[in-house]
């Protein structure tokens, strides 16, 4: 009887998603903008919002999703975002899956050592409401992205990465990530970074990466060593002068 009741409840929740909740998403655009702005501490605007029910899991699509900082400067633009909902994700106040196509993002390492992603402060050992929310989502997939890396802390010139692909899968305490990107031609060829992490059991903020433990793997074909010199010196004290080659590295975090 309990099993039958559970499956009946699950069926009712699925029907509600398909026919009541997702089709009315478009009516809640203003409320979604206001709630996201308040929760994340940035200004959120949505160009268009429409429901898509072309499978077992209903979805909605957002075009021109934009974040602006306190100075009203655009720090993130998502031309297209697709999110999927399921009964289980509703119970967890999360989304079943988030897909981003063609996002443009800036990551800053400021001269004072602070970090900003899309205009949002993220401190190592600290937390961010927006990052916490993203790290609670079961699946995040990004393709065809553009990323601008600004490292004022190490006094390096800004670097633009193209065709960025990110796969992230999050569990209750686990985070598996893979990043593939194409650097400028003078840096080398397309590279890949992968990581598998567990966070502390009693840590309330997923974005507090100082409590993470795990493994990191990097594969950098034909990388220009002089471009890595400042980072190799900071992380390991190794001095890299010049050269070009293929690099694979494994590390414990």
């Amino acid at each position: 009887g309990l099993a039958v009741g559970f499956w009946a409840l699950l069926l009712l929740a699925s029907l509600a998603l398909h026919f009541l909740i997702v089709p009315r998403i478009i009516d809640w655009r203003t409320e979604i903008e206001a709630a996201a702005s308040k929760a994340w501490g940035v200004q959120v605007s949505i160009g268009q919002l429409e429901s898509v029910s072309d499978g077992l899991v209903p979805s909605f699509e957002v075009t021109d999703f934009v974040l602006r900082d306190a100075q009203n400067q655009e720090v993130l633009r998502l031309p297209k975002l697709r999110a999927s909902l399921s009964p289980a994700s509703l119970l967890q106040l999360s989304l079943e899956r988030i897909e981003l196509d063609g996002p443009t993002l800036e990551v800053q390492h400021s001269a004072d050592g602070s970090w900003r992603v899309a205009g949002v402060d993220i401190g190592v050992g600290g937390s961010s409401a927006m990052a916490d929310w993203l790290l609670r989502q079961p699946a995040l997939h990004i393709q065809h992205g553009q990323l601008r890396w600004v490292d004022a802390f190490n006094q390096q010139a800004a670097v633009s990465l193209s065709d960025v692909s990110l796969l992230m899968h999050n569990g209750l305490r686990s985070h598996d990530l893979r990043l593939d990107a194409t650097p400028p031609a003078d840096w080398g060829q397309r590279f890949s970074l992968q990581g598998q992490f567990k966070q502390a059991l009693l840590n309330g903020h997923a974005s507090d990466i100082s409590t993470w433990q795990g493994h990191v793997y990097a594969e950098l074909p034909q990388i220009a060593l002089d471009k890595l010199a400042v980072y190799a010196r900071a992380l390991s004290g190794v001095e890299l002068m010049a050269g070009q080659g293929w690099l694979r590295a494994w590390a414990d975090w």
Side-chain angles (χ1 to χ4, degrees), residues 137-218:
Q137 308 312 304
L140 171 64
H141 292 185
I142 296 175
Q143 61 180 353
H144 309 309
Q146 304 289 326
L147 189 150
R148 186 168 184 263
W149 164 245
V150 181
D151 189 356
F153 183 79
N154 290 298
Q155 300 181 341
Q156 299 298 296
V159 179
S160 295
L161 304 177
S162 61
D163 197 17
V164 177
S165 171
L166 173 68
L167 301 177
M168 181 170 70
H169 295 276
N170 301 305
L172 186 61
R173 294 176 50 239
S174 64
H175 308 285
D176 294 344
L177 304 95
R178 173 169 178 160
L179 172 71
D180 296 271
T182 302
D186 60 340
W187 274 72
Q189 298 178 7
R190 186 170 179 82
F191 64 85
S192 178
L193 303 175
Q194 300 177 45
Q196 294 182 319
F197 306 98
K198 295 282 188 181
Q199 67 180 87
L201 179 62
L202 299 179
N203 178 36
H205 296 285
S207 60
D208 184 0
I209 63 173
S210 66
T211 67
W212 288 20
Q213 293 184 344
H215 310 284
V216 180
Y217 168 74

Side-chain angles (χ1 to χ4, degrees), residues 11-174:
L11 176 61
L12 288 174
S14 298
L15 291 174
L17 277 173
H18 274 282
F19 300 108
L20 295 177
I21 297 176
V22 171
R24 294 194 59 196
I25 284 287
I26 190 171
D27 299 327
W28 301 333
R29 188 183 71 174
T30 302
E31 289 79 2
I32 292 173
E33 288 177 335
S37 298
K38 182 178 180 180
W40 296 339
V42 291
Q43 301 176 53
V44 177
S45 65
I46 295 173
Q48 292 184 333
L49 183 62
E50 62 179 328
S51 61
V52 180
S53 295
D54 55 1
L56 294 176
V57 179
S59 306
F60 60 90
E61 286 189 355
V62 178
T63 55
D64 288 332
F65 180 93
V66 178
L67 298 186
R68 292 182 173 86
D69 60 18
Q71 289 72 45
N72 203 36
Q73 297 295 312
E74 184 177 305
V75 291
L76 174 65
R77 175 175 290 272
L78 305 178
K80 184 178 180 180
L81 179 156
R82 180 163 179 162
S84 303
L85 288 166
S86 70
S89 68
L90 284 182
L91 290 175
Q92 300 170 21
L93 299 179
S94 64
L95 299 168
E96 182 72 14
R97 180 185 175 101
I98 302 173
E99 300 175 51
L100 308 180
D101 189 4
T104 299
L105 177 69
E106 182 171 282
V107 178
Q108 300 176 351
H109 191 189
S110 302
D112 62 2
S114 63
W115 292 79
R116 295 175 69 86
V117 178
V120 178
D121 287 312
I122 299 179
V124 175
S127 64
S128 158
M130 184 177 182
D132 281 340
W133 183 83
L134 280 174
L135 289 167
R136 288 197 302 267
Q137 308 312 304
L140 171 64
H141 292 185
I142 296 175
Q143 61 180 353
H144 309 309
Q146 304 289 326
L147 189 150
R148 186 168 184 263
W149 164 245
V150 181
D151 189 356
F153 183 79
N154 290 298
Q155 300 181 341
Q156 299 298 296
V159 179
S160 295
L161 304 177
S162 61
D163 197 17
V164 177
S165 171
L166 173 68
L167 301 177
M168 181 170 70
H169 295 276
N170 301 305
L172 186 61
R173 294 176 50 239
S174 64

